[in-house]
Every structure is written in structure tokens, then in C-alpha cells.
Amino acid sequence: MSRRQRLVDRRHWASLKPFGIGEGRPNNYLEIVKAVRENRDRLGYAWRILRNGTCDGCALGTKGMRDWTIDEIHLCNIRLRLLRLNTMPAMDAGVLADVGALSGRSSAQLRDLGRLPQPMVRRAGEPGFTPTDWDTALDLVAGRLAQTDPHRFGVYLTSRGVPNENYFAAQKAVRALGSNSIDNAARICHSPSTFGLKAALGVAATTCSYSDWIGTDLIVFIGSNVANNQPVAMKYLYHAKKAGTKVACVNAYREPGMARYWVPSNVESAVFGTRVTDRFFDINVGGDIGFLNGVLKHMVERDWVDRSFIAEHTTGFDALADALRGQSWDELEAVAGTSRQEMLALAEMLHQAKTAVLVWSMGVTQHEFGEDNVRAIINLGLAKGFVGRDKCGLMPIRGHSGVQGGAEMGAYSTVLPGGGPIDEAGAARFSQLWGFPVPSWTGLTAAEMIDAGHAGALDVLISSGGNFLEVLPDPAYCREALARIPLRVHIDICLSSQMLVDPAETVVLLPAQTRYEMAGGVTETSTERRIIFSPEVPGPRVPQAWPEYRIFGELAARARPELADKVRYAGTAEIRADIARAVPAYQGIEKLSKFGDSVQYGGPHLCAGWTFPTPDGRAHFSVVVPPRTQRPDGTFVVATRRGKQFNSMVHERSDPLTGAVREAVLMNPADADRLGLADGDPVTLTSATGKFRGRVLRAPITPGNLQVHWPEGQVLIDRTRRSPQAVMPDYNAVVTIEAETT
């Protein structure tokens, strides 16, 4: 019997303890019990959402509780925890009559109050919100938009289950209003990946499919923790290990869930667990370029690269090789925080692999040199031709179900639908397509909108979902900015703390529908570029909640009546037809209409057959220079991490995979010993911008580095540090640490 066919393979078992009792692991079966308890008032509706809807959690993408990769049931903890957001009834509007009583509540407590029940308005000097009707609310906002310079308003959409249809209609409405200042959560997730991939390969998305994980020789995770953020992916890794795939992890912290995991729906893994990672490579926070350049330097010196592929299908390799020869081992080791021998070990794994998939996430992108981090990964993949063929690929894995589509729909201040640049030619094309002038100037990114608000240069901010106070660095600065914007409009399904910031003039709340409530169904785009139809799910409704495409269409139609017929849609099918005309890669979306329908744009592999849609038809290597990461003696680099949460939505105080509570400061044991710190000792981290008070937790993290949870650690982050192209905030900081006296 082949290794692929074995039902049981003891070589991958994590523990002989049945079901991992006493081990650090998520209690998946308890999560089911919790979901039943939370949704007990609407269990039938909750079940229909799980059975018939496309998951609104991470971007792996499902058809109900199945997918297109393996024929097994998928039901992860993230989806179960998000379920209540879709089933809970509307809150009592009277609760918002005086928001003073809500100011001390956590975000979770605010969400638990229920769905936003109807449009509401609060003006300066008023203690809370007053209910109103849709016409009054829309006329108020549209009247202000009609009088506002297009350079002085901004729109932001998060990926909170937002489907392609809402993103597309929103960006079209904003451009009808004469602006490109619309941005979405992709900005602060994978925008550096978009820039890096587009320049190198001519594409701006993962080049492969999830199925390429299973049976590839090697998967390398770089700054990515799928055990926490994409739990269903652990099932893919279980099957990959059974098929003989090796797994390597490059990170500052040895994530326990990436070491071993109990997959609840696979009997063998559920009982004995699965040893996932074959080799960990521990590096500094921000040390990716030093490490990856060192790996490639070894490969070039030993001629462990695919010379034929490089010669026939790429350009720029000789310049890169020359640059690597000029980068000393001492320099690379200092930046990476590890030795050249460790770099050689990964180089040998890549050399021995005939196929490989390189996967990365926000540990790579959320740096002021995020674009270069991505380029270093692409260089490594191109050196072996790990692109455009079976069991190979470059995969920026997405953490949210709406992020991939949000950028591709053009809800992005720096590109038009389909990813085309905002320039005269692009603006002219869409002006002709849509029948109104599209501006050719670059809009404000999410962080720049807050800067403009703080500087008094933003008159209107429309935020659909999200919470700037918990997403962007320096929460105090964000709060000040929000409080200075004359008109703020918050479109959401439930309450958030940013809605409670006192108005400079007016704050308007508009209740939105969930994806499962939208008549005609909607679509999302998964990490593997699969456009998936999610049908409307019958069940209880919040009567006054509107689909966001309708809200944005009405605002634009009322502000620009002459364009009303161009921005209003009769339904989601009409939007999908418009998407197909605007974004050629999405042709086929207009045919999706029922449960299970999908189309994977570009097919299983982009750049298939090593055909690259770049101007010269070749893939491009990039010379990447290691960043200067020197820090003063006695300081640490701290990174912000996720725990038991989804995006900024914290679900539990303690992370079952790591044992870390929200105030934990993850620290290398040697660093703790040197400072005389024991587990649980209170400490204060101080950066140039703020202080974080927490408690020491000894952890397998690279010496000289720390991790704290996000969004709690946002107080340490310097809002001015951003990457040059994507304007990605750097979610890391240099800090001192001081023990507190008790």
C-alpha cells in the first residue's frame, strides 16, 4: 500500500494521549457546543447558513461545509464563532440614546448587544443617537457629499463578509462622485504582495491552488500561522503529510499549532494529532530578507538553481546573483538573527525538492519594507521555477473572505477594477464603459484618510464595517482624527467603539445586511482565485437593514441625480454582469446563480507553462537589499500577533494553542533569565509612541524578539512607519522592557 493510501501512519502522530488531552490545542468539539448554545434561539437558521452558505471567515472558501480540494466536511472554529453575528436579532435602539453608558464596554460586549436596528443620527452636543428613516439619513449624507470636494472625502470597506458585489458597487459609486479615495482591508493585509507579484510575474494573486499542497515535495510557510488564522488549512496539511510532503516554517516564533495539530474531522488526527512541521527556522522579526537572501546565496554558490528555466523564462538573475555575492554572511546573519548553517539547511530542502509551494502572510507584509520581503520570497521561488506548474506556487494566503475580491473589484485607492493602474488611460477606459468621468488621480489609502481627518482635511468619512481604533496604529491618534471629521457614516451589522467617538458635527449609523440575507445571492473570491456563489439563506431578518450595494448606489444617485441610472442596481445579478464587463478575468461570474457554482479565474495555475503576462513575457528577479535593522543595546523588537480571534474580533481571553492570555508578553527564556523575569511577572514595554503593560510568558521565540497580541499592542506602533509603495503600516516596534514592582 502506498504512503498516499495508508489510513494510519504512526510516523506523523503528535501524541499517544487520546484526543490530545492535556495538550495545547483548540477544543473543537466544545466549540460546536458553544455555537449551539449561542444560536439556540435560531438554530434552524444557523444550520442553513452552515449548510448552504459560503463561509464568511477566512478566504479558503467553501460550498456549505465542503470545498473543491478534498471531499470532506469543513467546519472550523472561526466560522462557528462568527455564526452569531449572522443570526442575532436587532438590538433595542433605546440603548443608544445615551452612549455614555457604553463607553467602558469591550468590543465583544458591544457586538453582543445585537444588530443595528435602523438608521440613526447623532449630532454634536447630543448624548446619543436618535432613530430616523432611510430617506432622511440618505439625504443628509448625500447632501453633504454633493457639496464636498472629491479630494476631501474617503470611503473604507472592511472584509467583514463583504461580497464582491458590494465592493464593486461601492467603488463605482465613489468614482461617480469624482473620487478614487476608496480603500479596503486588503491595504493592511497583502498590498505589498500585490505590488511584488504584479511586477515580478504580471499577476497579483496566488499562482496555484490549495490542492497543490497535497503531494508537493515541500511547503514553506514564511511569517504565516495557518493553525490560528486558516484552521481548515490544517486538514490540507494532514493530507499533505500523508502524501509525503515536507513542511518548513520560517518565523520568529515556533507556533505550537504549526508544530502539531489535532484535526477534529479526521479520525487518526483527532485521536493522535499530527506532527506538521519538519523543520523550523527561527529568525528575527523583520529578518526575512537577511534569511531568504542567505538561502538563495547558498543555492547560487552551489548551482542549486534551475538554470534552464532562468535562462529561458526570466530576467534579472545575473544582477541578483552579483548583489548576493556582495552581501556578506556576517551582514545576512545579523539581519536574520540566525546562522548561515540554518540558511544552508533550508537551501538543501529546496534543492532536494522537485516541487514546492511558498506560502506567506502578514508576518511578511506588515513591515515598512514589506514589498521587499515579498520580492525576496519570489526570488527564491523563481530560482527553482516553482511557479506555473503542478504542485508548485507562490501563495499569499488570505485571512479574510472578502480581501481578494475587494482589491480586484477596484475598492482600492491605488488601482482600478481588475488591478489596472489609476492613470489617464485607465480612467478613460472606465469613463467610456460607465458613461461618466472617472478621475485619474490616486486616492487616499486607509491610513491616509485618518491622517487627513487629523489634519482637518477630510470632511466626510464613510466606513463600512471595520474599526480604525483597533486596526490602525496609534489608537489615540485615530480617535482624535475621527473626532475631527465633520460627517462620519458608519455602515455595519453591529455596534463598534469607533461609532461612539463624539461627533465633530454629525455621525450617522446605517444598518447593513449580511451576505446570507442578500436577495439574489452574492459571490466571494477565495485565496486560490475561486469566485464562489453564496445564495440567500431563508431566515429571520432585520427589517430595516439594507444591502451595502444599495446604500452606496443611493448615496451617489442622490448626490449626483444625473448619474442615478448608472449607479443604481436592480439586484446582485445585474452587478455580476457589470463586473464581467469591467474585469475580463472575472468573466463567468455573471453565470453564477446557485449553490455550489464557482469559477477559478486563470485556472488552477497562473503563469501556466511559464507564460508570464509581463511586458517582455518573462518573470523578473529583483535585487533586494537587507534592511538596516540595528537597534540600541538593551532593546527588543516586538511584533503584534493574533490569538483566539478573527481580525480584531477577540473571541477568548486565552489562546488554547499557545496558552497566552491577552496581556502576555512572549519572551525567549534566555532573555527572561538574563533580566531575572519569571512567567507571570508584570512588565512594561515602552516604544517611541506608547506603553504596553503585560505579563511575561516564556515561549519559543528568537532571542531579542517579543510578541504581544493585536490590537492591544497597537499603542506601541509608530503610525508614520509605512512601506513605500503599498503604504502598509509597520506593525512592529523597538521597545525597552522594565519589570514592574508589585
Side-chain angles (χ1 to χ4, degrees):
M1 180 179 287
S2 72
R3 198 169 179 185
R4 180 183 294 275
Q5 295 171 312
R6 286 179 182 171
L7 296 177
V8 175
D9 190 343
R10 296 187 60 173
R11 286 170 293 184
H12 303 306
W13 289 3
S15 173
L16 293 178
K17 297 179 182 178
F19 300 99
I21 295 172
E23 302 287 347
R25 60 179 178 81
N27 192 329
N28 299 286
Y29 306 112
L30 181 60
E31 291 288 348
I32 296 175
V33 174
K34 288 181 178 179
V36 170
R37 185 171 63 245
E38 286 179 345
N39 297 278
R40 60 186 178 275
D41 58 335
R42 293 180 170 181
L43 273 179
Y45 185 38
W47 174 247
R48 290 193 294 274
I49 289 173
L50 294 176
R51 187 184 61 193
N52 299 324
T54 296
C55 177
D56 55 347
C58 78
L60 268 69
T62 66
K63 46 181 175 181
M65 291 187 287
R66 295 186 180 273
D67 70 6
W68 293 263
T69 303
I70 53 178
D71 186 21
E72 295 182 10
I73 294 293
H74 297 309
L75 185 59
C76 79
N77 297 338
I78 290 176
R79 190 177 187 190
L80 288 171
R81 284 301 181 98
L82 292 176
L83 191 57
R84 187 55 177 167
L85 291 176
N86 297 291
T87 67
M88 63 186 180
M91 66 187 294
D92 177 5
V95 172
L96 294 176
D98 187 345
V99 300
L102 303 176
S103 59
R105 299 200 185 187
S106 68
S107 293
Q109 290 171 327
L110 293 176
R111 290 193 299 271
D112 288 345
L113 291 172
R115 296 275 298 275
L116 291 178
Q118 63 189 100
M120 306 186 80
V121 178
R122 182 187 179 196
R123 293 178 172 82
E126 295 177 347
F129 291 89
T130 301
T132 188
D133 59 83
W134 272 102
D135 279 331
T136 300
L138 291 170
D139 285 343
L140 186 161
V141 178
R144 186 60 180 262
L145 287 171
Q147 300 170 4
T148 299
D149 183 331
H151 292 83
R152 293 182 63 88
F153 78 84
V155 175
Y156 176 78
L157 291 86
T158 190
S159 57
R160 180 250 323 132
V162 176
N164 291 326
E165 290 80 358
N166 284 348
Y167 280 121
F168 186 84
Q171 64 81 30
K172 187 177 180 183
V174 168
R175 287 174 168 122
L177 291 168
S179 177
N180 283 315
S181 291
I182 179 168
D183 220 28
N184 78 83
R187 175 69 54 193
I188 51 178
C189 295
H190 268 298
S191 49
S193 302
T194 299
F195 281 93
L197 287 167
K198 187 72 172 179
L201 308 180
V203 299
T206 180
T207 67
C208 61
S209 303
Y210 300 133
S211 58
D212 288 303
W213 289 21
I214 302 171
T216 186
D217 291 340
L218 177 66
I219 304 175
V220 184
F221 291 96
I222 309 163
S224 181
N225 177 17
V226 295
N228 268 87
N229 301 318
Q230 296 94 2
V232 171
M234 303 310 291
K235 181 176 291 191
Y236 302 160
L237 289 177
Y238 164 77
H239 286 286
K241 297 295 293 184
K242 300 271 286 184
T245 298
K246 290 188 178 298
V247 176
C249 285
V250 180
N251 207 359
Y253 176 57
R254 293 194 177 199
E255 297 286 351
M258 295 301 293
R260 52 188 189 168
Y261 198 88
W262 282 258
V263 179
S265 55
N266 293 98
V267 175
E268 180 188 18
S269 184
V271 176
F272 300 110
T274 301
R275 288 191 294 109
V276 179
T277 298
D278 296 278
R279 187 73 153 82
F280 283 97
F281 296 94
D282 306 327
I283 65 171
N284 282 333
V285 172
D288 305 87
I289 294 172
F291 181 77
L292 298 173
N293 277 14
V295 172
L296 187 53
K297 183 179 174 77
H298 277 303
M299 295 173 69
V300 172
E301 288 178 350
R302 289 162 175 76
D303 200 26
W304 289 349
V305 298
D306 188 333
R307 291 286 178 182
S308 175
F309 167 77
I310 290 170
E312 296 176 17
H313 300 285
T314 75
T315 186
F317 180 77
D318 290 341
L320 173 58
D322 287 342
L324 291 173
R325 281 189 284 270
Q327 295 173 12
S328 72
W329 286 115
D330 288 344
E331 174 191 11
L332 296 174
E333 288 176 329
V335 172
T338 191
S339 68
R340 67 196 74 176
Q341 287 74 30
E342 287 291 285
M343 300 172 193
L344 178 59
L346 181 56
E348 288 174 332
M349 294 182 78
L350 290 163
H351 168 55
Q352 293 164 6
K354 302 300 182 185
T355 57
V357 179
L358 308 184
V359 182
W360 69 94
S361 194
M362 288 180 285
V364 166
T365 58
Q366 289 185 332
H367 294 268
E368 60 182 344
F369 41 83
E371 295 93 339
D372 277 349
N373 281 347
V374 172
R375 293 183 186 109
I377 296 172
I378 294 170
N379 285 342
L380 205 56
L382 290 179
K384 287 286 301 257
F386 290 147
V387 64
R389 56 191 177 98
D390 195 35
K391 306 302 178 187
C392 294
L394 297 167
M395 178 180 281
I397 193 167
R398 300 286 192 167
H400 310 294
S401 63
V403 175
Q404 186 72 41
E408 291 167 345
M409 293 301 93
Y412 226 31
S413 62
T414 50
V415 297
L416 293 164
I422 296 177
D423 55 21
E424 293 294 340
R429 177 190 169 230
F430 283 98
S431 297
Q432 182 177 19
L433 180 66
W434 290 335
F436 57 78
V438 172
S440 59
W441 47 272
T442 301
L444 298 174
T445 66
E448 289 169 342
M449 291 176 198
I450 292 297
D451 288 343
H454 199 275
L458 199 71
D459 296 329
V460 181
L461 174 66
I462 302 175
S463 176
S464 181
N467 188 346
F468 285 117
L469 299 180
E470 295 185 350
V471 172
L472 292 179
D474 199 342
Y477 175 84
C478 291
R479 180 176 291 275
E480 291 173 359
L482 292 174
R484 295 176 184 181
I485 299 170
L487 174 61
R488 300 197 329 265
V489 183
H490 298 288
I491 306 170
D492 214 327
I493 60 175
C494 57
L495 202 61
S496 69
S497 58
Q498 70 173 356
M499 299 176 185
L500 306 182
V501 175
D502 290 340
E505 293 181 12
T506 309
V507 177
V508 178
L509 306 184
L510 300 176
Q513 291 182 346
T514 71
R515 66 166 57 179
Y516 307 115
E517 296 171 335
M518 293 177 63
V522 293
T523 60
E524 75 159 66
T525 307
S526 73
T527 290
E528 67 172 5
R529 297 170 279 102
R530 186 176 297 279
I531 308 164
I532 306 165
F533 184 77
S534 185
E536 180 186 4
V537 178
R541 297 289 187 260
V542 176
Q544 293 207 50
W546 278 23
E548 283 155 299
Y549 77 81
R550 184 182 175 193
I551 297 173
F552 283 103
E554 278 301 309
L555 289 175
R558 295 179 188 221
R560 298 284 302 277
E562 71 279 12
L563 300 181
D565 62 329
K566 303 182 187 305
V567 293
R568 284 183 173 134
Y569 289 101
T572 59
E574 188 177 344
I575 304 174
R576 289 190 286 278
D578 205 4
I579 293 170
R581 289 188 292 269
V583 185
Y586 269 62
Q587 288 181 4
I589 190 175
E590 73 280 9
K591 299 176 183 178
L592 307 182
S593 61
K594 64 182 184 301
F595 173 76
D597 281 356
S598 76
V599 59
Q600 187 179 24
Y601 80 76
H605 301 101
L606 296 183
C607 311
W610 291 337
T611 299
F612 298 96
T614 55
D616 59 4
R618 290 173 171 261
H620 291 241
F621 286 95
S622 302
V623 172
V624 181
V625 178
R628 299 187 63 180
T629 57
Q630 292 180 341
R631 52 184 173 81
D633 290 342
T635 61
F636 292 80
V637 177
V638 62
T640 50
R641 64 172 287 107
R642 280 58 167 167
K644 179 66 174 177
Q645 64 191 99
F646 177 70
N647 197 2
S648 63
M649 296 169 55
V650 178
H651 292 142
E652 295 284 352
R653 184 171 178 271
S654 177
D655 181 355
L657 284 171
T658 63
V661 294
R662 300 304 299 182
E663 65 269 23
V665 178
L666 278 63
M667 176 182 289
N668 182 275
D671 287 332
D673 288 342
R674 179 170 51 84
L675 296 174
L677 297 171
D679 275 348
D681 281 354
V683 293
T684 298
L685 308 186
T686 304
S687 72
T689 60
K691 294 179 181 293
F692 174 88
R693 289 178 173 81
R695 292 185 178 274
V696 171
L697 177 64
R698 294 172 177 236
I701 190 170
T702 308
N705 298 266
L706 308 170
Q707 289 193 5
V708 298
H709 282 113
W710 174 89
E712 292 88 344
Q714 300 293 74
V715 293
L716 297 171
I717 306 304
D718 181 355
R719 58 181 170 76
T720 66
R721 292 178 58 197
R722 299 169 186 168
S723 69
Q725 288 180 287
V727 199
M728 164 68 78
D730 191 320
Y731 283 84
N732 311 278
V734 175
V735 300
T736 58
I737 184 168
E738 182 180 359
E740 292 186 0
T741 57
T742 57

